[in-house]
Structures are given as C-alpha cells and as structure tokens.
Amino acid sequence: METTQEKISLLKEMIAFALIDGELHDREYDFIEIVAYELGVDKETLHKLYENKSEVSVIKDELNRICQFYRLALLMRSDDVLHERERVKINEIGINMGLDPYAMKRVLRLIEDSPNHMVDGETLIRLFSEQLN
C-alpha cells in the first residue's frame, strides 16, 4: 500500500460494502477496525469515514486489488449472514477492479466452504494467477 489516500479509499469501500444490507453489524465494524489498524489508520480518522461518503479511488496494483477483494469477501462473511445484495455487490466491485470473474467465484466458494471462512494467501494468488497462463 503506497499512500494514506489509498488506505483511506480501501476503508471507505469496506464501509460502503458493510452497509449494503442496511446495517453495520458489530463483527463487521470490528473487522474494519482491525484492517484500519493494520493499515496504520487511527480510530478518529476511521470514525470520520463513516460520516463522509465520497468517491473511492481505483487500486492500480493487481495484488492490492486481489487483497481488497479478499478483505471484502471476509467482511461479507463476518456477520455469518450472506445477503443477496452483498453477493451481487462483491461481484460488481470485483469486475470493476478488473478481476477475473471465474477466479472470484472460486475464491468466494472456497471461503464459503471453509470452516473459518479463510483462504491461505498462496491459494488466493494461485486462483487469480491461473487465468493469466
């Protein structure tokens, strides 16, 4: 991750995605807070993002787009309720990021089938890389 603005944009996208079903669950909030901490964004800045709705910038690096898609997929599963609007929106976001729809579908299926809703990094990268060969 290069700039603070890119980190803020990632968090804005996650917040918007978490609110797609009309409410922010505690587990979704906690997950976003953990990601913010990992990105080095303080709580005060994070809380301001919930108030300010603005444009999200495009992620240029493919690896960062894959990571963001994965974060969104984990966020989607964090409340243990999968809404149809979340399923539609995550596919729309992935397509807009330029990610391969087949790889996205496989990642989402692996997350759903996994007991802890996690996919290891190597598998994640492999799934998206297969389409490049």
Side-chain angles (χ1 to χ4, degrees):
M1 199 64 42
E2 289 107 35
T3 68
T4 302
Q5 188 57 37
E6 289 173 329
K7 294 174 186 179
I8 296 296
S9 182
L10 294 175
L11 292 170
K12 284 184 205 176
E13 186 173 45
M14 291 181 76
I15 291 167
F17 186 70
L19 295 171
I20 199 77
D21 63 358
E23 61 182 300
L24 180 67
H25 299 274
D26 290 341
R27 291 166 94 188
E28 291 172 324
Y29 175 82
D30 292 343
F31 184 78
I32 293 170
E33 193 173 61
I34 290 168
V35 172
Y37 175 79
E38 291 295 322
L39 293 174
V41 175
D42 62 84
K43 278 188 179 186
E44 182 181 338
T45 303
L46 177 63
H47 289 188
K48 288 179 184 175
L49 297 179
Y50 283 97
E51 299 166 8
N52 301 329
K53 311 274 193 285
S54 59
E55 288 291 314
V56 215
S57 60
V58 177
I59 305 169
K60 294 180 177 114
D61 178 72
E62 183 178 22
L63 181 59
N64 285 328
R65 290 193 310 262
I66 292 169
C67 289
Q68 180 64 355
F69 177 80
Y70 182 61
R71 282 187 206 103
L72 292 172
L74 292 176
L75 178 62
M76 180 174 73
R77 298 301 303 177
S78 68
D79 62 357
D80 288 327
V81 178
L82 182 58
H83 296 276
E84 184 58 28
R85 289 171 34 190
E86 290 174 327
R87 186 184 306 273
V88 169
K89 187 65 176 178
I90 197 165
N91 283 306
E92 178 184 307
I93 290 169
I95 295 293
N96 289 338
M97 286 182 183
L99 297 176
D100 179 69
Y102 182 70
M104 291 185 319
K105 184 177 180 177
R106 289 177 63 195
V107 168
L108 292 173
R109 191 174 329 120
L110 282 174
I111 289 172
E112 193 169 321
D113 293 344
S114 170
N116 62 359
H117 301 303
M118 304 280 287
V119 176
D120 68 273
E122 288 180 19
T123 302
L124 186 65
I125 299 302
R126 181 180 46 77
L127 289 172
F128 282 98
S129 297
E130 284 176 355
Q131 303 306 313
L132 300 176
N133 293 331

